[in-house]
PDB file of all heavy atoms in Angstrom:
ATOM      1  N   SER X   1      98.466 110.239  98.272  1.00 88.00           N
ATOM      2  CA  SER X   1      97.828 109.736  97.025  1.00 88.00           C
ATOM      3  C   SER X   1      96.692 108.791  97.381  1.00 88.00           C
ATOM      4  O   SER X   1      95.602 108.825  96.793  1.00 88.00           O
ATOM      5  CB  SER X   1      98.849 108.999  96.198  1.00 88.00           C
ATOM      6  OG  SER X   1      99.767 109.884  95.690  1.00 88.00           O
ATOM      7  N   LEU X   2      96.893 107.973  98.384  1.00 85.00           N
ATOM      8  CA  LEU X   2      95.863 106.937  98.765  1.00 85.00           C
ATOM      9  C   LEU X   2      94.645 107.706  99.302  1.00 85.00           C
ATOM     10  O   LEU X   2      93.445 107.407  98.953  1.00 85.00           O
ATOM     11  CB  LEU X   2      96.340 105.991  99.850  1.00 85.00           C
ATOM     12  CG  LEU X   2      97.192 104.889  99.393  1.00 85.00           C
ATOM     13  CD1 LEU X   2      97.730 104.088 100.594  1.00 85.00           C
ATOM     14  CD2 LEU X   2      96.429 103.969  98.492  1.00 85.00           C
ATOM     15  N   VAL X   3      94.833 108.733 100.176  1.00 85.00           N
ATOM     16  CA  VAL X   3      93.713 109.455 100.692  1.00 85.00           C
ATOM     17  C   VAL X   3      92.943 110.202  99.645  1.00 85.00           C
ATOM     18  O   VAL X   3      91.721 110.161  99.521  1.00 85.00           O
ATOM     19  CB  VAL X   3      94.278 110.519 101.811  1.00 85.00           C
ATOM     20  CG1 VAL X   3      93.169 111.499 102.194  1.00 85.00           C
ATOM     21  CG2 VAL X   3      94.812 109.793 102.956  1.00 85.00           C
ATOM     22  N   ALA X   4      93.702 110.842  98.634  1.00 87.00           N
ATOM     23  CA  ALA X   4      93.077 111.494  97.543  1.00 87.00           C
ATOM     24  C   ALA X   4      92.242 110.540  96.682  1.00 87.00           C
ATOM     25  O   ALA X   4      91.106 110.837  96.354  1.00 87.00           O
ATOM     26  CB  ALA X   4      94.092 112.190  96.647  1.00 87.00           C
ATOM     27  N   LEU X   5      92.780 109.337  96.418  1.00 89.00           N
ATOM     28  CA  LEU X   5      92.041 108.331  95.644  1.00 89.00           C
ATOM     29  C   LEU X   5      90.809 107.835  96.390  1.00 89.00           C
ATOM     30  O   LEU X   5      89.764 107.659  95.811  1.00 89.00           O
ATOM     31  CB  LEU X   5      92.937 107.184  95.230  1.00 89.00           C
ATOM     32  CG  LEU X   5      93.998 107.552  94.211  1.00 89.00           C
ATOM     33  CD1 LEU X   5      95.131 106.530  94.107  1.00 89.00           C
ATOM     34  CD2 LEU X   5      93.374 107.805  92.813  1.00 89.00           C
ATOM     35  N   MET X   6      91.036 107.631  97.686  1.00 86.00           N
ATOM     36  CA  MET X   6      89.819 107.126  98.507  1.00 86.00           C
ATOM     37  C   MET X   6      88.798 108.173  98.531  1.00 86.00           C
ATOM     38  O   MET X   6      87.514 107.836  98.432  1.00 86.00           O
ATOM     39  CB  MET X   6      90.343 106.840  99.932  1.00 86.00           C
ATOM     40  CG  MET X   6      91.101 105.511 100.020  1.00 86.00           C
ATOM     41  SD  MET X   6      91.503 105.012 101.695  1.00 86.00           S
ATOM     42  CE  MET X   6      92.698 106.244 102.145  1.00 86.00           C
ATOM     43  N   PHE X   7      89.192 109.472  98.623  1.00 87.00           N
ATOM     44  CA  PHE X   7      88.174 110.541  98.665  1.00 87.00           C
ATOM     45  C   PHE X   7      87.463 110.587  97.298  1.00 87.00           C
ATOM     46  O   PHE X   7      86.260 110.692  97.272  1.00 87.00           O
ATOM     47  CB  PHE X   7      88.862 111.822  99.006  1.00 87.00           C
ATOM     48  CG  PHE X   7      87.977 113.014  99.154  1.00 87.00           C
ATOM     49  CD1 PHE X   7      87.101 113.014 100.229  1.00 87.00           C
ATOM     50  CD2 PHE X   7      88.027 114.107  98.359  1.00 87.00           C
ATOM     51  CE1 PHE X   7      86.273 114.113 100.346  1.00 87.00           C
ATOM     52  CE2 PHE X   7      87.170 115.205  98.496  1.00 87.00           C
ATOM     53  CZ  PHE X   7      86.309 115.191  99.563  1.00 87.00           C
ATOM     54  N   LEU X   8      88.168 110.570  96.235  1.00 87.00           N
ATOM     55  CA  LEU X   8      87.608 110.570  94.919  1.00 87.00           C
ATOM     56  C   LEU X   8      86.562 109.437  94.683  1.00 87.00           C
ATOM     57  O   LEU X   8      85.472 109.727  94.291  1.00 87.00           O
ATOM     58  CB  LEU X   8      88.683 110.551  93.818  1.00 87.00           C
ATOM     59  CG  LEU X   8      88.221 110.307  92.459  1.00 87.00           C
ATOM     60  CD1 LEU X   8      87.646 111.659  91.885  1.00 87.00           C
ATOM     61  CD2 LEU X   8      89.383 109.873  91.542  1.00 87.00           C
ATOM     62  N   PHE X   9      87.007 108.244  95.011  1.00 87.00           N
ATOM     63  CA  PHE X   9      86.099 107.095  94.763  1.00 87.00           C
ATOM     64  C   PHE X   9      84.946 107.062  95.769  1.00 87.00           C
ATOM     65  O   PHE X   9      83.929 106.597  95.375  1.00 87.00           O
ATOM     66  CB  PHE X   9      86.949 105.742  94.906  1.00 87.00           C
ATOM     67  CG  PHE X   9      87.915 105.607  93.734  1.00 87.00           C
ATOM     68  CD1 PHE X   9      89.177 105.149  93.942  1.00 87.00           C
ATOM     69  CD2 PHE X   9      87.429 105.800  92.363  1.00 87.00           C
ATOM     70  CE1 PHE X   9      89.983 104.982  92.860  1.00 87.00           C
ATOM     71  CE2 PHE X   9      88.354 105.726  91.315  1.00 87.00           C
ATOM     72  CZ  PHE X   9      89.585 105.234  91.599  1.00 87.00           C
ATOM     73  N   ALA X  10      85.113 107.636  97.004  1.00 88.00           N
ATOM     74  CA  ALA X  10      84.015 107.721  97.882  1.00 88.00           C
ATOM     75  C   ALA X  10      82.930 108.699  97.355  1.00 88.00           C
ATOM     76  O   ALA X  10      81.704 108.356  97.345  1.00 88.00           O
ATOM     77  CB  ALA X  10      84.481 108.252  99.251  1.00 88.00           C
ATOM     78  N   ILE X  11      83.399 109.832  96.781  1.00 87.00           N
ATOM     79  CA  ILE X  11      82.369 110.747  96.202  1.00 87.00           C
ATOM     80  C   ILE X  11      81.743 110.130  94.958  1.00 87.00           C
ATOM     81  O   ILE X  11      80.526 110.224  94.782  1.00 87.00           O
ATOM     82  CB  ILE X  11      83.144 112.040  95.805  1.00 87.00           C
ATOM     83  CG1 ILE X  11      83.535 112.790  96.997  1.00 87.00           C
ATOM     84  CG2 ILE X  11      82.318 112.901  94.869  1.00 87.00           C
ATOM     85  CD1 ILE X  11      84.460 114.000  96.731  1.00 87.00           C
ATOM     86  N   GLN X  12      82.521 109.418  94.116  1.00 84.00           N
ATOM     87  CA  GLN X  12      82.017 108.804  92.945  1.00 84.00           C
ATOM     88  C   GLN X  12      81.080 107.613  93.226  1.00 84.00           C
ATOM     89  O   GLN X  12      80.258 107.295  92.381  1.00 84.00           O
ATOM     90  CB  GLN X  12      83.165 108.384  92.005  1.00 84.00           C
ATOM     91  CG  GLN X  12      83.970 109.556  91.505  1.00 84.00           C
ATOM     92  CD  GLN X  12      83.066 110.539  90.728  1.00 84.00           C
ATOM     93  OE1 GLN X  12      82.169 110.232  90.017  1.00 84.00           O
ATOM     94  NE2 GLN X  12      83.397 111.833  90.973  1.00 84.00           N
ATOM     95  N   THR X  13      81.230 107.046  94.397  1.00 85.00           N
ATOM     96  CA  THR X  13      80.305 105.907  94.761  1.00 85.00           C
ATOM     97  C   THR X  13      78.861 106.513  94.896  1.00 85.00           C
ATOM     98  O   THR X  13      77.946 105.859  94.610  1.00 85.00           O
ATOM     99  CB  THR X  13      80.718 105.285  96.105  1.00 85.00           C
ATOM    100  OG1 THR X  13      82.022 104.782  95.902  1.00 85.00           O
ATOM    101  CG2 THR X  13      79.785 104.134  96.508  1.00 85.00           C
ATOM    102  N   PHE X  14      78.832 107.790  95.447  1.00 87.00           N
ATOM    103  CA  PHE X  14      77.514 108.455  95.627  1.00 87.00           C
ATOM    104  C   PHE X  14      76.929 108.853  94.262  1.00 87.00           C
ATOM    105  O   PHE X  14      75.670 108.664  94.093  1.00 87.00           O
ATOM    106  CB  PHE X  14      77.756 109.655  96.505  1.00 87.00           C
ATOM    107  CG  PHE X  14      76.527 110.471  96.672  1.00 87.00           C
ATOM    108  CD1 PHE X  14      75.454 110.000  97.404  1.00 87.00           C
ATOM    109  CD2 PHE X  14      76.382 111.764  95.990  1.00 87.00           C
ATOM    110  CE1 PHE X  14      74.241 110.742  97.603  1.00 87.00           C
ATOM    111  CE2 PHE X  14      75.223 112.488  96.156  1.00 87.00           C
ATOM    112  CZ  PHE X  14      74.156 111.972  96.952  1.00 87.00           C
ATOM    113  N   ASN X  15      77.782 109.388  93.380  1.00 85.00           N
ATOM    114  CA  ASN X  15      77.260 109.820  91.961  1.00 85.00           C
ATOM    115  C   ASN X  15      78.275 109.382  90.958  1.00 85.00           C
ATOM    116  O   ASN X  15      79.115 110.182  90.547  1.00 85.00           O
ATOM    117  CB  ASN X  15      77.074 111.297  92.108  1.00 85.00           C
ATOM    118  CG  ASN X  15      76.438 111.823  90.851  1.00 85.00           C
ATOM    119  OD1 ASN X  15      75.903 111.145  90.029  1.00 85.00           O
ATOM    120  ND2 ASN X  15      76.491 113.160  90.680  1.00 85.00           N
ATOM    121  N   PRO X  16      78.183 108.131  90.554  1.00 87.00           N
ATOM    122  CA  PRO X  16      79.211 107.602  89.654  1.00 87.00           C
ATOM    123  C   PRO X  16      79.237 108.200  88.263  1.00 87.00           C
ATOM    124  O   PRO X  16      78.188 108.731  87.758  1.00 87.00           O
ATOM    125  CB  PRO X  16      78.774 106.110  89.461  1.00 87.00           C
ATOM    126  CG  PRO X  16      77.648 105.854  90.366  1.00 87.00           C
ATOM    127  CD  PRO X  16      77.230 107.133  90.930  1.00 87.00           C
ATOM    128  N   SER X  17      80.458 108.234  87.738  1.00 89.00           N
ATOM    129  CA  SER X  17      80.632 108.722  86.325  1.00 89.00           C
ATOM    130  C   SER X  17      80.788 107.530  85.395  1.00 89.00           C
ATOM    131  O   SER X  17      81.080 106.457  85.899  1.00 89.00           O
ATOM    132  CB  SER X  17      81.891 109.628  86.289  1.00 89.00           C
ATOM    133  OG  SER X  17      82.106 110.002  84.982  1.00 89.00           O
ATOM    134  N   SER X  18      80.617 107.740  84.143  1.00 91.00           N
ATOM    135  CA  SER X  18      80.732 106.629  83.211  1.00 91.00           C
ATOM    136  C   SER X  18      82.148 106.446  82.773  1.00 91.00           C
ATOM    137  O   SER X  18      82.593 105.380  82.380  1.00 91.00           O
ATOM    138  CB  SER X  18      79.844 106.869  81.946  1.00 91.00           C
ATOM    139  OG  SER X  18      80.157 108.057  81.355  1.00 91.00           O
ATOM    140  N   VAL X  19      83.032 107.554  82.895  1.00 93.00           N
ATOM    141  CA  VAL X  19      84.360 107.462  82.494  1.00 93.00           C
ATOM    142  C   VAL X  19      85.226 108.181  83.489  1.00 93.00           C
ATOM    143  O   VAL X  19      84.920 109.286  84.052  1.00 93.00           O
ATOM    144  CB  VAL X  19      84.611 108.165  81.112  1.00 93.00           C
ATOM    145  CG1 VAL X  19      86.059 108.160  80.709  1.00 93.00           C
ATOM    146  CG2 VAL X  19      83.737 107.493  80.053  1.00 93.00           C
ATOM    147  N   TYR X  20      86.377 107.600  83.816  1.00 93.00           N
ATOM    148  CA  TYR X  20      87.360 108.195  84.740  1.00 93.00           C
ATOM    149  C   TYR X  20      88.667 108.264  83.998  1.00 93.00           C
ATOM    150  O   TYR X  20      89.113 107.231  83.323  1.00 93.00           O
ATOM    151  CB  TYR X  20      87.545 107.325  85.968  1.00 93.00           C
ATOM    152  CG  TYR X  20      86.295 107.282  86.843  1.00 93.00           C
ATOM    153  CD1 TYR X  20      85.388 106.362  86.701  1.00 93.00           C
ATOM    154  CD2 TYR X  20      86.091 108.282  87.839  1.00 93.00           C
ATOM    155  CE1 TYR X  20      84.256 106.239  87.418  1.00 93.00           C
ATOM    156  CE2 TYR X  20      84.988 108.167  88.683  1.00 93.00           C
ATOM    157  CZ  TYR X  20      84.002 107.226  88.454  1.00 93.00           C
ATOM    158  OH  TYR X  20      82.894 107.194  89.191  1.00 93.00           O
ATOM    159  N   ILE X  21      89.475 109.287  84.086  1.00 93.00           N
ATOM    160  CA  ILE X  21      90.825 109.394  83.567  1.00 93.00           C
ATOM    161  C   ILE X  21      91.753 109.648  84.706  1.00 93.00           C
ATOM    162  O   ILE X  21      91.628 110.711  85.349  1.00 93.00           O
ATOM    163  CB  ILE X  21      90.943 110.500  82.469  1.00 93.00           C
ATOM    164  CG1 ILE X  21      89.883 110.224  81.349  1.00 93.00           C
ATOM    165  CG2 ILE X  21      92.293 110.605  81.927  1.00 93.00           C
ATOM    166  CD1 ILE X  21      89.746 111.355  80.391  1.00 93.00           C
ATOM    167  N   LEU X  22      92.681 108.731  84.853  1.00 93.00           N
ATOM    168  CA  LEU X  22      93.752 108.801  85.926  1.00 93.00           C
ATOM    169  C   LEU X  22      95.131 108.981  85.324  1.00 93.00           C
ATOM    170  O   LEU X  22      95.524 108.047  84.564  1.00 93.00           O
ATOM    171  CB  LEU X  22      93.641 107.604  86.884  1.00 93.00           C
ATOM    172  CG  LEU X  22      92.291 107.368  87.569  1.00 93.00           C
ATOM    173  CD1 LEU X  22      92.367 106.099  88.429  1.00 93.00           C
ATOM    174  CD2 LEU X  22      91.916 108.565  88.475  1.00 93.00           C
ATOM    175  N   ASP X  23      95.733 110.068  85.496  1.00 93.00           N
ATOM    176  CA  ASP X  23      97.018 110.260  84.883  1.00 93.00           C
ATOM    177  C   ASP X  23      98.125 110.044  85.929  1.00 93.00           C
ATOM    178  O   ASP X  23      98.376 110.927  86.815  1.00 93.00           O
ATOM    179  CB  ASP X  23      97.108 111.675  84.313  1.00 93.00           C
ATOM    180  CG  ASP X  23      98.403 111.969  83.535  1.00 93.00           C
ATOM    181  OD1 ASP X  23      99.277 110.988  83.434  1.00 93.00           O
ATOM    182  OD2 ASP X  23      98.696 113.052  83.132  1.00 93.00           O
ATOM    183  N   GLU X  24      98.786 108.911  85.968  1.00 92.00           N
ATOM    184  CA  GLU X  24      99.781 108.513  86.884  1.00 92.00           C
ATOM    185  C   GLU X  24      99.417 108.785  88.338  1.00 92.00           C
ATOM    186  O   GLU X  24     100.200 109.211  89.185  1.00 92.00           O
ATOM    187  CB  GLU X  24     101.107 109.210  86.544  1.00 92.00           C
ATOM    188  CG  GLU X  24     101.665 108.794  85.102  1.00 92.00           C
ATOM    189  CD  GLU X  24     103.056 109.254  84.880  1.00 92.00           C
ATOM    190  OE1 GLU X  24     103.843 109.358  85.828  1.00 92.00           O
ATOM    191  OE2 GLU X  24     103.376 109.462  83.739  1.00 92.00           O
ATOM    192  N   ALA X  25      98.207 108.449  88.671  1.00 91.00           N
ATOM    193  CA  ALA X  25      97.736 108.607  90.063  1.00 91.00           C
ATOM    194  C   ALA X  25      98.420 107.659  90.959  1.00 91.00           C
ATOM    195  O   ALA X  25      98.454 107.857  92.201  1.00 91.00           O
ATOM    196  CB  ALA X  25      96.235 108.314  90.086  1.00 91.00           C
ATOM    197  N   ASP X  26      99.085 106.660  90.448  1.00 91.00           N
ATOM    198  CA  ASP X  26      99.729 105.649  91.219  1.00 91.00           C
ATOM    199  C   ASP X  26     101.260 105.904  91.349  1.00 91.00           C
ATOM    200  O   ASP X  26     101.995 105.106  92.005  1.00 91.00           O
ATOM    201  CB  ASP X  26      99.623 104.272  90.515  1.00 91.00           C
ATOM    202  CG  ASP X  26     100.215 104.291  89.120  1.00 91.00           C
ATOM    203  OD1 ASP X  26     100.052 105.318  88.456  1.00 91.00           O
ATOM    204  OD2 ASP X  26     100.672 103.261  88.684  1.00 91.00           O
ATOM    205  N   SER X  27     101.815 106.978  90.876  1.00 91.00           N
ATOM    206  CA  SER X  27     103.222 107.226  90.843  1.00 91.00           C
ATOM    207  C   SER X  27     103.903 107.276  92.216  1.00 91.00           C
ATOM    208  O   SER X  27     105.063 106.907  92.296  1.00 91.00           O
ATOM    209  CB  SER X  27     103.583 108.533  90.026  1.00 91.00           C
ATOM    210  OG  SER X  27     102.964 109.639  90.757  1.00 91.00           O
ATOM    211  N   ALA X  28     103.170 107.715  93.248  1.00 91.00           N
ATOM    212  CA  ALA X  28     103.806 107.764  94.581  1.00 91.00           C
ATOM    213  C   ALA X  28     103.517 106.503  95.420  1.00 91.00           C
ATOM    214  O   ALA X  28     103.925 106.438  96.552  1.00 91.00           O
ATOM    215  CB  ALA X  28     103.280 108.989  95.299  1.00 91.00           C
ATOM    216  N   LEU X  29     102.797 105.507  94.875  1.00 92.00           N
ATOM    217  CA  LEU X  29     102.383 104.349  95.617  1.00 92.00           C
ATOM    218  C   LEU X  29     103.459 103.304  95.683  1.00 92.00           C
ATOM    219  O   LEU X  29     104.172 103.122  94.544  1.00 92.00           O
ATOM    220  CB  LEU X  29     101.122 103.812  95.083  1.00 92.00           C
ATOM    221  CG  LEU X  29      99.930 104.678  95.130  1.00 92.00           C
ATOM    222  CD1 LEU X  29      98.611 103.991  94.558  1.00 92.00           C
ATOM    223  CD2 LEU X  29      99.594 105.249  96.494  1.00 92.00           C
ATOM    224  N   ASP X  30     103.593 102.533  96.703  1.00 91.00           N
ATOM    225  CA  ASP X  30     104.495 101.446  96.714  1.00 91.00           C
ATOM    226  C   ASP X  30     103.844 100.206  95.993  1.00 91.00           C
ATOM    227  O   ASP X  30     102.684 100.322  95.587  1.00 91.00           O
ATOM    228  CB  ASP X  30     104.885 101.032  98.130  1.00 91.00           C
ATOM    229  CG  ASP X  30     103.728 100.641  98.997  1.00 91.00           C
ATOM    230  OD1 ASP X  30     102.620 100.446  98.511  1.00 91.00           O
ATOM    231  OD2 ASP X  30     103.909 100.543 100.284  1.00 91.00           O
ATOM    232  N   GLN X  31     104.505  99.115  95.887  1.00 91.00           N
ATOM    233  CA  GLN X  31     103.977  97.984  95.072  1.00 91.00           C
ATOM    234  C   GLN X  31     102.703  97.398  95.653  1.00 91.00           C
ATOM    235  O   GLN X  31     101.806  97.139  94.914  1.00 91.00           O
ATOM    236  CB  GLN X  31     105.065  96.878  95.012  1.00 91.00           C
ATOM    237  CG  GLN X  31     106.225  97.136  94.174  1.00 91.00           C
ATOM    238  CD  GLN X  31     107.153  95.945  94.089  1.00 91.00           C
ATOM    239  OE1 GLN X  31     106.967  94.911  94.715  1.00 91.00           O
ATOM    240  NE2 GLN X  31     108.139  96.060  93.251  1.00 91.00           N
ATOM    241  N   GLU X  32     102.587  97.206  96.966  1.00 87.00           N
ATOM    242  CA  GLU X  32     101.370  96.687  97.624  1.00 87.00           C
ATOM    243  C   GLU X  32     100.170  97.594  97.285  1.00 87.00           C
ATOM    244  O   GLU X  32      99.154  97.150  96.932  1.00 87.00           O
ATOM    245  CB  GLU X  32     101.595  96.476  99.032  1.00 87.00           C
ATOM    246  CG  GLU X  32     100.438  95.840  99.754  1.00 87.00           C
ATOM    247  CD  GLU X  32      99.988  94.534  99.251  1.00 87.00           C
ATOM    248  OE1 GLU X  32     100.806  93.734  98.594  1.00 87.00           O
ATOM    249  OE2 GLU X  32      98.744  94.204  99.350  1.00 87.00           O
ATOM    250  N   ASN X  33     100.345  98.896  97.512  1.00 87.00           N
ATOM    251  CA  ASN X  33      99.270  99.811  97.353  1.00 87.00           C
ATOM    252  C   ASN X  33      98.874 100.003  95.855  1.00 87.00           C
ATOM    253  O   ASN X  33      97.807 100.224  95.464  1.00 87.00           O
ATOM    254  CB  ASN X  33      99.550 101.169  97.999  1.00 87.00           C
ATOM    255  CG  ASN X  33      99.424 101.073  99.526  1.00 87.00           C
ATOM    256  OD1 ASN X  33      98.472 100.424 100.005  1.00 87.00           O
ATOM    257  ND2 ASN X  33     100.364 101.683 100.186  1.00 87.00           N
ATOM    258  N   SER X  34      99.929  99.851  94.998  1.00 91.00           N
ATOM    259  CA  SER X  34      99.676  99.809  93.569  1.00 91.00           C
ATOM    260  C   SER X  34      98.802  98.656  93.153  1.00 91.00           C
ATOM    261  O   SER X  34      97.810  98.807  92.379  1.00 91.00           O
ATOM    262  CB  SER X  34     100.936  99.742  92.779  1.00 91.00           C
ATOM    263  OG  SER X  34     101.698 100.914  92.970  1.00 91.00           O
ATOM    264  N   ARG X  35      99.042  97.483  93.714  1.00 90.00           N
ATOM    265  CA  ARG X  35      98.243  96.312  93.463  1.00 90.00           C
ATOM    266  C   ARG X  35      96.796  96.533  93.971  1.00 90.00           C
ATOM    267  O   ARG X  35      95.898  96.131  93.288  1.00 90.00           O
ATOM    268  CB  ARG X  35      98.807  95.105  94.144  1.00 90.00           C
ATOM    269  CG  ARG X  35      99.871  94.345  93.310  1.00 90.00           C
ATOM    270  CD  ARG X  35     100.231  92.979  93.867  1.00 90.00           C
ATOM    271  NE  ARG X  35     101.004  93.130  95.150  1.00 90.00           N
ATOM    272  CZ  ARG X  35     102.341  93.259  95.111  1.00 90.00           C
ATOM    273  NH1 ARG X  35     102.995  93.425  94.024  1.00 90.00           N
ATOM    274  NH2 ARG X  35     102.976  93.356  96.267  1.00 90.00           N
ATOM    275  N   LYS X  36      96.624  97.085  95.128  1.00 87.00           N
ATOM    276  CA  LYS X  36      95.300  97.382  95.680  1.00 87.00           C
ATOM    277  C   LYS X  36      94.573  98.326  94.866  1.00 87.00           C
ATOM    278  O   LYS X  36      93.360  98.142  94.588  1.00 87.00           O
ATOM    279  CB  LYS X  36      95.424  97.922  97.176  1.00 87.00           C
ATOM    280  CG  LYS X  36      95.909  96.937  98.149  1.00 87.00           C
ATOM    281  CD  LYS X  36      96.087  97.550  99.542  1.00 87.00           C
ATOM    282  CE  LYS X  36      96.522  96.514 100.526  1.00 87.00           C
ATOM    283  NZ  LYS X  36      96.735  97.086 101.842  1.00 87.00           N
ATOM    284  N   LEU X  37      95.258  99.438  94.330  1.00 90.00           N
ATOM    285  CA  LEU X  37      94.587 100.307  93.420  1.00 90.00           C
ATOM    286  C   LEU X  37      94.186  99.633  92.127  1.00 90.00           C
ATOM    287  O   LEU X  37      93.050  99.869  91.705  1.00 90.00           O
ATOM    288  CB  LEU X  37      95.546 101.470  93.095  1.00 90.00           C
ATOM    289  CG  LEU X  37      95.025 102.469  92.068  1.00 90.00           C
ATOM    290  CD1 LEU X  37      93.698 103.176  92.478  1.00 90.00           C
ATOM    291  CD2 LEU X  37      96.083 103.509  91.721  1.00 90.00           C
ATOM    292  N   ALA X  38      94.993  98.789  91.585  1.00 91.00           N
ATOM    293  CA  ALA X  38      94.657  98.034  90.320  1.00 91.00           C
ATOM    294  C   ALA X  38      93.446  97.146  90.562  1.00 91.00           C
ATOM    295  O   ALA X  38      92.525  97.110  89.704  1.00 91.00           O
ATOM    296  CB  ALA X  38      95.899  97.263  89.880  1.00 91.00           C
ATOM    297  N   HIS X  39      93.376  96.460  91.707  1.00 91.00           N
ATOM    298  CA  HIS X  39      92.200  95.629  91.974  1.00 91.00           C
ATOM    299  C   HIS X  39      90.920  96.480  92.160  1.00 91.00           C
ATOM    300  O   HIS X  39      89.858  96.099  91.703  1.00 91.00           O
ATOM    301  CB  HIS X  39      92.498  94.733  93.165  1.00 91.00           C
ATOM    302  CG  HIS X  39      93.521  93.675  92.876  1.00 91.00           C
ATOM    303  ND1 HIS X  39      93.287  92.688  92.006  1.00 91.00           N
ATOM    304  CD2 HIS X  39      94.714  93.440  93.415  1.00 91.00           C
ATOM    305  CE1 HIS X  39      94.320  91.893  91.930  1.00 91.00           C
ATOM    306  NE2 HIS X  39      95.197  92.336  92.831  1.00 91.00           N
ATOM    307  N   LEU X  40      91.092  97.621  92.795  1.00 88.00           N
ATOM    308  CA  LEU X  40      89.952  98.437  93.010  1.00 88.00           C
ATOM    309  C   LEU X  40      89.405  99.020  91.652  1.00 88.00           C
ATOM    310  O   LEU X  40      88.203  99.036  91.359  1.00 88.00           O
ATOM    311  CB  LEU X  40      90.285  99.683  93.926  1.00 88.00           C
ATOM    312  CG  LEU X  40      89.194 100.689  94.164  1.00 88.00           C
ATOM    313  CD1 LEU X  40      88.011 100.081  94.840  1.00 88.00           C
ATOM    314  CD2 LEU X  40      89.710 101.887  94.962  1.00 88.00           C
TER     315      LEU X  40
END
């Protein structure tokens, strides 16, 4: 999940979108990585 999210955000850094929809993208993450995702 982390790799997929990093890949998605890396691509979007190059060509950002105005809206992102994430459906339970954090479901497999532990607490620490969930916090990191929330801050990102």
Side-chain angles (χ1 to χ4, degrees):
S1 292
L2 281 176
V3 171
L5 289 166
M6 287 186 287
F7 185 66
L8 171 74
F9 291 134
I11 291 171
Q12 294 304 322
T13 300
F14 176 71
N15 188 11
S17 177
S18 59
V19 177
Y20 296 89
I21 301 173
L22 302 175
D23 185 6
E24 296 192 30
D26 60 326
S27 63
L29 301 180
D30 60 13
Q31 288 185 354
E32 181 60 26
N33 287 318
S34 295
R35 274 192 287 278
K36 289 178 182 178
L37 174 62
H39 290 295
L40 177 62

